[in-house]
Amino acid sequence: MNMFSSCMITALVILTLPIIMSSTKLYKNKLYPYYVKTATSYAFMISMIPTMMFIYSGQETIISNWHWMTIQTMKLSMSFKLDYFSMIFVPVALFVTWSIMEFSMWYMHSDPYINRFFKYLLLFLITMMVLVTANNMFQLFIGWEGVGIMSFLLIGWWYGRTDANTAALQAVLYNRIGDVGFIMTMAWFLLNLNTWDLQQIFITTNDNFNLPLLGLLLAATGKSAQFGLHPWLPSAMEGPTPVSALLHSSTMVVAGVFLLIRFHPLMEHNQTIQTLTLCLGAITTLFTAICALTQNDIKKIVAFSTSSQLGLMMVTIGINQPYLAFLHICTHAFFKAMLFMCSGSVIHSLNDEQDIRKMGGLFKVLPFTTTSLIIGSLALTGMPFLTGFYSKDLIIESANTSNTNAWALLITLVATSLTAAYSTRIMFFALLGQPRFSPMIPINENNPLLINSIKRLLIGSVFAGYIISHSITPTTIPQMTMPHYLKMTALAVTTLGFILALELNLTTQGLKFNYPSNYFKFSSLLGYYPTIMHRLTPKTSLTISQKSASMLLDSIWLENILPKSISYFQMKSSTLISNQKGLIKLYFLSFMLTMILSLLILNYHG
Amino acid sequence: MLKIIIPTIMLIPLTWMSKPNMIWINTTTYGLLISLISLFYLNQPNDNTLNSSLMFFSDSLSAPLLALTTWLLPLMLMASQHHLSKEPLTRKKLYISMLILLQLFLIMTFTASELIFFYILFEATLIPTLIIITRWGNQTERLNAGLYFLFYTLMGSLPLLVALLYIHNFMGSLNFLMIQYWIQPLPNSWSNIFLWLACMMAFMVKMPLYGLHLWLPKAHVEAPIAGSMVLAAVLLKLGGYGMMRITTLLNPLTNFMAYPFMMLSLWGMIMTSSICLRQTDLKSLIAYSSVSHMALVIVAVLIQTPWSYMGATALMIAHGLTSSMLFCLANSNYERIHSRTMVLARGLQTLLPLMAAWWLLASLTNLALPPTINLIGELFVVMSSFSWSNTTIILMGINIIITALYSLYMLITTQRGKYSHHIKNIKPSFTRENALMTLHLLPLLLLSLNPKIILGPIY
């Protein structure tokens, strides 16, 4: 027994302590958020020990304890897999959550239920940890569903708002569609391999893994908001900004990509699924980047850029480089969470104003936020030697040198260029130029909670990529040699995006706003996807369930055929057969007639 | 088995002799004590059965249902206190006696070892239920609902009597324990097909199968709270229990006779859950959700594999507790708003925060969140239907999505949003109600720790 597993378990147990304490008086205390934050930071520090050990010696562990049940030949027990992926991801997630919790102590300080908010955040973090460290599919499913439900609760945090509730329901719905794929995969594995344990799945061979992998792809599509199931991610911005920073940038939404990375041993020999993943990722990254171009809500832009980056990760899995995709997950967590926090700082300072057209000139009043926002955006675009560079550049390079689907790779390049374009747009409108907000708002960013949390992620956004990519040797070897122009492509398209966007913004600023073109409408209406899918489908299905299921089948056919018709025919036949019809008047009349007649006859007879 | 049956009978004198202010507390405590006794049957030391006498036995299929039945009586008593608060004392006592009588019949039904005995008790449960629905229901429609309830179930189960007499005639016995050793495969003939139908229809109506389900929403909506609870939690499970017992007699006919009923259930589960999406009536929504969940049980029983039987048993117990809890929650709304219409009870989270937590947990268990036993049940059913035919996953998937959708729709409509002005001065939630919800949730959560005991005879 070495410190490896015991430290990891200690870190996980520390996270559960504030949840357990929530049934005591501590939960009523004003300091509860502080305790939660501290617990998270301790968990981060303790989890660094096994991670260091892993980096040093490369040992991987599987802990299997508490036996849950054995069903026939299948054993289900609680089991943690502490391998490359979980060992790197856990500290990253804990670090990011630590900062976000500190940030939300500032952002949510006026909320009367801030303690509950922190409990939810922590519950979410625990389910995420369960998801990441799970060694069998059932445990993975617990975490998988857990993050989904916690996202429902956190998006709908301001439950008085209809929009928030709709967005929460939307998130669950899209996630559930993905879950069907997950359940199908579980069923397939159970049926064909008779196990849910990951390593047992990987050592068993089967000719055709198409069906379960399709299920996994569907699950990842739902969770990671890939094209087709993407609209929930921008809608989820209805939730509080810390929630967007934690769930919808760095942890929950990457769970889908993480799942595919986990099951990569099955995927690496399956060309069909890889091509599908590649195309799906490419479409997502381009489509969402296009949508991001014309949005005016600062959080929506960042959300679409998250979606676009998730597409990029899918592309990376599609070109058979799961380790690179994983590296991008880790680096992306830092700067994307920071971008959300910066936008949260801006929104909070401007009195809940999210429209970038009403900002401007913030570099004077919010210097620190401005700095971080610019560094975050540069890291996002893959500026050399910032965090994003170490993963994004490698991804583009290996995409350029791989011999798969050319148009998918071309699309990815275009999307990379667009990343720079919309990042420029945020910086240009929100930070530079003249202020367009109300001068009456007192703006102050000098709160240690805000500054420290952003600062920590800022350092992460500058150095984390270097540290991670240098301490971990990538297990798949990236392409080493390539021509100059391929090496420079990523940088060139990004620079192109920057320059073009800047020039366009500068030239069009003074122009009169014309009637929008169709291309503009396509982008600003999110490709007409919500208009079609969120109107037509629910309307049709709800009408069908009302008209056919409820009215036609239940109320008309089933009710009429059995009970109503039986009673009707019984009544009709009984009235038909019976000669007693209850016609009292007639009976009395005939009675009277008989009486009168008999009287008359009897009288005259005598 | 007498150690449960006799205490249950003794509950009746306890009710009638208690002081007026003690009738609820006495019966509830006593009922809880009885339910503790029933827990011993969950421990099945040898894999077969615990034979108590010539007439009663329990095995790992009936023991969880037995425990559920005895557990539910104190909960029903707790739930209906407010509903009866304005009634005179004699009627209160009569009501409690009816519930006790129902529990007595149910216990004996689940533990009967003889099919005719089972049949008689199965029918006997109708009487107290009918009285509870038609006497203590809230509206005039309760009479109509009672009519539907009685006629559907009776029409379904009368052929079973004929079939049982016939089987007794050629087998010589109807004892569950002996029949399984004597059973011969039935030859494939028209008369045997009718025999199959006669045997199964009684339970299919009770479950209820889609198409024969109309009595259920009506009965659920009109019944008083205890009636709804026991209907959803236990009476529907009689159907599943009976089907699982009687299919052993009907091999190998089930293999091909199952197809139309599988189709009907798979289709019906989607239809009923989509009806849930358009419900305005809270109790009716929960009732339709029961139909949809029970369709899963029918599918599982008809597939007849060990996994599907495990799933069916787990789902029955899980659904029993969950739907009963949902009815209790709906009732606590009804007692405050005096209407079952959902839009009239919006935004309750602001006013009753603890109740909102119960709503949340109940909805989450209803949509089968892992690792609750609802998920275990549903997952096993999905697994077995997937192995039966791969394409069923599409229907099952649609059902999973719609189930999540209507559960959360119900949650959002009643709890979230802004509250309307007419509910500003409602009563706060009582300790009694909170205790009631806790007692529903505790078994659900604790069973997730060790689901083995509710997985039925073949795990």
Side-chain angles (χ1 to χ4, degrees):
Chain A
M1 190 73 190
N2 59 14
M3 280 179 48
F4 189 76
S5 50
S6 48
C7 280
M8 205 61 207
I9 296 299
T10 316
L12 294 182
V13 168
I14 285 178
L15 285 183
T16 57
L17 284 180
I19 303 285
I20 298 167
M21 296 305 274
S22 71
S23 54
T24 64
K25 247 189 191 145
L26 194 67
Y27 189 54
K28 304 264 191 303
N29 199 325
K30 274 219 174 92
L31 284 173
Y32 187 76
Y34 179 75
Y35 294 138
V36 176
K37 189 210 86 183
T38 318
T40 319
S41 67
Y42 286 171
F44 161 69
M45 285 163 199
I46 292 173
S47 77
M48 276 310 281
I49 301 171
T51 307
M52 294 289 186
M53 290 166 75
F54 172 76
I55 291 172
Y56 181 70
S57 63
Q59 62 164 336
E60 300 190 345
T61 314
I62 288 168
I63 310 171
S64 189
N65 33 29
W66 189 52
H67 170 234
W68 194 43
M69 60 176 169
T70 303
I71 308 155
Q72 298 185 324
T73 54
M74 207 185 64
K75 185 184 169 199
L76 281 176
S77 57
M78 196 159 85
S79 170
F80 295 98
K81 188 183 179 81
L82 305 178
D83 67 337
Y84 182 95
F85 300 123
S86 51
M87 285 321 296
I88 306 293
F89 190 75
V90 166
V92 171
L94 285 173
F95 181 78
V96 172
T97 316
W98 172 25
S99 295
I100 290 170
M101 282 187 169
E102 195 165 341
F103 172 74
S104 27
M105 281 166 72
W106 171 76
Y107 193 83
M108 304 292 285
H109 68 95
S110 58
D111 196 298
Y113 298 110
I114 184 168
N115 289 0
R116 193 195 295 164
F117 184 76
F118 271 79
K119 190 162 78 169
Y120 282 3
L121 280 186
L122 198 59
L123 266 177
F124 166 77
L125 186 64
I126 290 169
T127 47
M128 191 67 205
M129 294 292 115
V130 169
L131 193 158
V132 174
T133 55
N135 189 35
N136 63 45
M137 286 198 76
F138 191 79
Q139 208 175 327
L140 191 61
F141 192 53
I142 293 176
W144 185 264
E145 285 288 280
V147 292
I149 289 304
M150 289 321 290
S151 98
F152 169 80
L153 288 177
L154 284 167
I155 296 172
W157 176 253
W158 288 310
Y159 56 82
R161 282 163 57 179
T162 320
D163 279 354
N165 289 326
T166 322
L169 193 61
Q170 201 178 330
V172 169
L173 175 60
Y174 280 113
N175 275 315
R176 268 272 148 165
I177 297 175
D179 292 346
V180 175
F182 199 102
I183 290 176
M184 187 189 74
T185 311
M186 282 172 87
W188 195 92
F189 281 142
L190 184 74
L191 199 61
N192 291 286
L193 309 179
N194 191 31
T195 180
W196 280 340
D197 268 5
L198 293 185
Q199 68 269 31
Q200 287 185 34
I201 290 175
F202 297 151
I203 57 170
T204 353
T205 48
N206 196 301
D207 300 333
N208 192 355
F209 276 113
N210 275 344
L211 198 60
L213 285 176
L214 271 179
L216 288 178
L217 189 59
L218 180 62
T221 310
K223 198 60 105 190
S224 288
Q226 298 298 302
F227 184 76
L229 304 178
H230 62 281
W232 71 267
L233 187 56
S235 311
M237 294 303 124
E238 284 298 326
T241 307
V243 174
S244 318
L246 181 59
L247 275 71
H248 307 122
S249 71
S250 48
T251 46
M252 175 195 163
V253 285
V254 299
V257 182
F258 189 85
L259 181 78
L260 290 186
I261 294 174
R262 263 271 184 263
F263 281 89
H264 191 260
L266 301 184
M267 233 171 122
E268 60 190 350
H269 304 300
N270 195 323
Q271 287 298 327
T272 325
I273 299 295
Q274 273 185 23
T275 314
L276 266 178
T277 317
L278 177 68
C279 295
L280 183 69
I283 294 172
T284 313
T285 187
L286 181 68
F287 179 78
T288 44
I290 289 177
C291 290
L293 281 180
T294 51
Q295 294 303 308
N296 288 321
D297 185 333
I298 185 168
K299 276 179 80 181
K300 283 248 165 93
I301 302 179
V302 186
F304 274 115
S305 104
T306 308
S307 224
S308 176
Q309 294 303 307
L310 291 169
L312 188 65
M313 294 172 201
M314 287 296 243
V315 167
T316 322
I317 292 174
I319 56 172
N320 215 352
Q321 296 280 0
Y323 287 87
L324 268 185
F326 180 71
L327 186 63
H328 197 53
I329 286 183
C330 294
T331 53
H332 176 252
F334 287 97
F335 53 77
K336 193 47 70 66
M338 190 180 70
L339 279 180
F340 268 115
M341 279 155 66
C342 291
S343 50
S345 162
V346 170
I347 291 166
H348 204 81
S349 302
L350 295 185
N351 218 355
D352 296 336
E353 183 55 64
Q354 306 201 356
D355 197 330
I356 55 170
R357 289 168 300 185
K358 298 185 186 168
M359 295 172 184
L362 286 175
F363 69 102
K364 282 258 169 69
V365 282
L366 294 172
F368 180 71
T369 310
T370 307
T371 318
S372 330
L373 193 62
I374 289 177
I375 290 181
S377 303
L378 289 180
L380 170 71
T381 50
M383 197 47 63
F385 313 118
L386 292 181
T387 290
F389 170 75
Y390 292 94
S391 51
K392 201 169 176 181
D393 200 52
L394 276 181
I395 290 174
I396 304 287
E397 274 172 18
S398 36
N400 281 345
T401 49
S402 77
N403 52 1
T404 39
N405 215 328
W407 72 265
L409 302 177
L410 196 66
I411 281 181
T412 317
L413 273 185
V414 176
T416 315
S417 178
L418 293 183
T419 311
Y422 58 71
S423 301
T424 315
R425 201 157 162 273
I426 293 188
M427 288 189 265
F428 185 83
F429 279 102
L431 309 175
L432 310 177
Q434 301 298 319
R436 292 182 294 276
F437 49 87
S438 153
M440 307 300 283
I441 307 170
I443 295 179
N444 183 14
E445 58 166 2
N446 295 315
N447 190 312
L449 290 173
L450 172 69
I451 298 270
N452 285 340
S453 56
I454 294 187
K455 200 192 288 167
R456 211 173 296 130
L457 283 182
L458 182 65
I459 296 169
S461 311
V462 181
F463 297 112
Y466 175 77
I467 295 170
I468 296 177
S469 63
H470 270 255
S471 18
I472 307 288
T473 42
T475 318
T476 45
I477 303 160
Q479 189 74 24
M480 288 301 181
T481 55
M482 63 197 84
H484 263 295
Y485 62 91
L486 279 189
K487 182 81 185 163
M488 299 306 286
T489 332
L491 204 56
V493 288
T494 309
T495 324
L496 186 71
F498 266 126
I499 294 171
L500 270 180
L502 198 62
E503 286 299 321
L504 276 176
N505 281 333
L506 282 173
T507 27
T508 53
Q509 206 182 15
L511 296 183
K512 201 176 116 234
F513 187 68
N514 276 328
Y515 187 75
S517 70
N518 279 337
Y519 300 113
F520 180 83
K521 275 193 240 164
F522 178 84
S523 169
S524 67
L525 292 176
L526 314 180
Y528 306 112
Y529 190 89
T531 327
I532 299 169
M533 294 305 283
H534 290 184
R535 290 271 159 185
L536 201 63
T537 335
K539 188 158 185 289
T540 341
S541 54
L542 285 178
T543 320
I544 287 175
S545 55
Q546 170 78 10
K547 291 263 164 63
S548 81
S550 187
M551 310 269 285
L552 184 70
L553 284 175
D554 245 51
S555 315
I556 299 181
W557 275 101
L558 293 177
E559 179 134 23
N560 272 347
I561 281 185
L562 277 172
K564 290 247 169 91
S565 66
I566 288 176
S567 73
Y568 179 77
F569 284 119
Q570 292 286 336
M571 205 173 66
K572 276 288 168 199
S573 53
S574 66
T575 39
L576 199 69
I577 293 167
S578 154
N579 45 11
Q580 231 290 5
K581 296 217 165 100
L583 303 169
I584 299 291
K585 264 188 193 166
L586 197 67
Y587 301 154
F588 273 117
L589 196 68
S590 56
F591 188 62
M592 194 179 74
L593 280 176
T594 332
M595 289 296 282
I596 293 170
L597 271 178
S598 57
L599 273 177
L600 286 175
I601 292 168
L602 281 177
N603 266 348
Y604 287 100
H605 186 73
Chain B
M1 207 49 66
L2 287 183
K3 69 183 170 194
I4 297 187
I5 292 174
I6 291 178
T8 311
I9 296 173
M10 294 310 284
L11 264 169
I12 297 177
L14 178 79
T15 316
W16 288 92
M17 288 173 186
S18 292
K19 277 188 282 182
N21 57 349
M22 293 297 277
I23 46 168
W24 294 110
I25 190 80
N26 275 351
T27 44
T28 311
T29 323
Y30 194 21
L32 275 172
L33 285 177
I34 294 175
S35 78
L36 285 186
I37 305 175
S38 76
L39 292 182
F40 288 112
Y41 291 96
L42 289 176
N43 178 28
Q44 298 278 342
N46 45 352
D47 268 347
N48 299 321
T49 49
L50 288 171
N51 299 328
S52 309
S53 63
L54 282 179
M55 301 181 79
F56 297 114
F57 83 112
S58 85
D59 64 356
S60 39
L61 172 62
S62 60
L65 289 165
L66 181 69
L68 180 67
T69 314
T70 50
W71 183 250
L72 216 70
L73 177 70
L75 300 192
M76 289 194 291
L77 291 173
M78 285 168 80
S80 35
Q81 284 183 25
H82 184 271
H83 179 68
L84 289 189
S85 55
K86 302 222 165 46
E87 302 256 328
L89 186 65
T90 328
R91 269 192 223 153
K92 275 187 198 170
K93 288 183 173 172
L94 201 63
Y95 180 83
I96 298 176
S97 312
M98 280 302 147
L99 293 183
I100 294 165
L101 208 61
L102 183 56
Q103 149 142 328
L104 182 68
F105 288 144
L106 282 170
I107 291 172
M108 296 209 287
T109 320
F110 281 130
T111 53
S113 62
E114 232 261 318
L115 261 171
I116 284 288
F117 189 43
F118 171 79
Y119 177 80
I120 293 170
L121 290 163
F122 179 77
E123 297 292 308
T125 53
L126 292 184
I127 302 165
T129 321
L130 185 72
I131 296 175
I132 291 172
I133 294 177
T134 49
R135 177 60 195 79
W136 280 282
N138 289 314
Q139 307 178 71
T140 350
E141 285 84 5
R142 65 180 188 269
L143 301 172
N144 198 17
L147 211 62
Y148 269 72
F149 168 68
L150 198 68
F151 271 87
Y152 265 86
T153 6
L154 270 186
M155 293 290 258
S157 58
L158 276 179
L160 178 62
L161 180 63
V162 183
L164 286 183
L165 294 177
Y166 169 74
I167 292 172
H168 190 266
N169 205 21
F170 83 80
M171 298 260 291
S173 164
L174 280 175
N175 198 308
F176 287 134
L177 303 171
M178 282 197 277
I179 273 182
Q180 50 189 333
Y181 301 112
W182 290 358
I183 189 71
Q184 307 279 330
L186 288 178
N188 184 2
S189 67
W190 274 105
S191 56
N192 281 334
I193 287 175
F194 281 111
L195 179 70
W196 191 94
L197 281 178
C199 285
M200 293 299 259
M201 277 327 262
F203 304 120
M204 297 261 196
V205 174
K206 196 82 185 177
M207 279 300 271
L209 182 74
Y210 180 72
L212 303 170
H213 67 281
L214 275 187
W215 66 270
L216 185 86
K218 287 187 196 297
H220 268 309
V221 169
E222 299 306 328
I225 170 63
S228 306
M229 282 168 75
V230 75
L231 259 177
V234 191
L235 285 173
L236 302 189
K237 277 67 193 176
L238 273 180
Y241 174 77
M243 271 166 86
M244 278 155 99
R245 286 273 184 234
I246 213 158
T247 35
T248 49
L249 294 179
L250 301 171
N251 276 329
L253 282 183
T254 319
N255 295 344
F256 71 91
M257 282 303 287
Y259 285 107
F261 298 99
M262 294 281 281
M263 251 165 54
L264 215 51
S265 312
L266 287 169
W267 168 248
M269 103 196 148
I270 292 173
M271 279 296 118
T272 40
S273 22
S274 52
I275 289 174
C276 285
L277 286 177
R278 292 306 293 253
Q279 279 301 328
T280 49
D281 181 337
L282 190 52
K283 275 182 114 176
S284 170
L285 195 160
I286 304 167
Y288 272 108
S289 125
S290 293
V291 183
S292 145
H293 278 100
M294 285 298 110
L296 281 176
V297 177
I298 297 182
V299 169
V301 176
L302 289 179
I303 290 175
Q304 299 196 86
T305 59
W307 273 78
S308 75
Y309 274 178
M310 282 187 280
T313 325
L315 192 57
M316 284 201 287
I317 303 296
H319 175 261
L321 288 165
T322 310
S323 63
S324 167
M325 180 172 180
L326 282 173
F327 273 118
C328 286
L329 287 166
N331 183 59
S332 75
N333 271 6
Y334 181 79
E335 283 171 5
R336 291 179 172 77
I337 318 288
H338 305 292
S339 165
R340 297 187 311 263
T341 312
M342 265 195 290
V343 277
L344 289 181
R346 299 195 303 274
L348 283 176
Q349 182 169 4
T350 323
L351 303 169
L352 309 171
L354 188 54
M355 207 45 104
W358 302 128
W359 268 104
L360 175 70
L361 289 170
S363 308
L364 291 187
T365 46
N366 196 44
L367 64 81
L369 186 79
T372 52
I373 44 173
N374 302 59
L375 175 90
I376 295 167
E378 278 191 28
L379 203 59
F380 285 10
V381 177
V382 173
M383 302 288 144
S384 41
S385 79
F386 183 76
S387 79
W388 181 70
S389 155
N390 281 0
T391 37
T392 51
I393 190 72
I394 301 170
L395 298 170
M396 290 285 178
I398 295 174
N399 188 43
I400 288 171
I401 296 168
I402 304 181
T403 307
L405 212 53
Y406 71 72
S407 302
L408 293 176
Y409 157 70
M410 178 170 71
L411 176 76
I412 287 180
T413 318
T414 55
Q415 303 303 312
R416 304 293 174 85
K418 290 187 184 64
Y419 62 87
S420 42
H421 291 293
H422 65 279
I423 55 171
K424 260 181 185 164
N425 53 355
I426 57 173
K427 289 178 295 248
S429 47
F430 303 119
T431 315
R432 173 177 63 83
E433 286 166 337
N434 291 327
L436 180 63
M437 305 310 161
T438 321
L439 290 179
H440 275 111
L441 261 181
L442 265 186
L444 272 175
L445 296 180
L446 290 178
L447 281 174
S448 341
L449 290 180
N450 185 14
K452 220 191 253 174
I453 50 176
I454 53 157
L455 283 185
I458 350 161
Y459 54 74

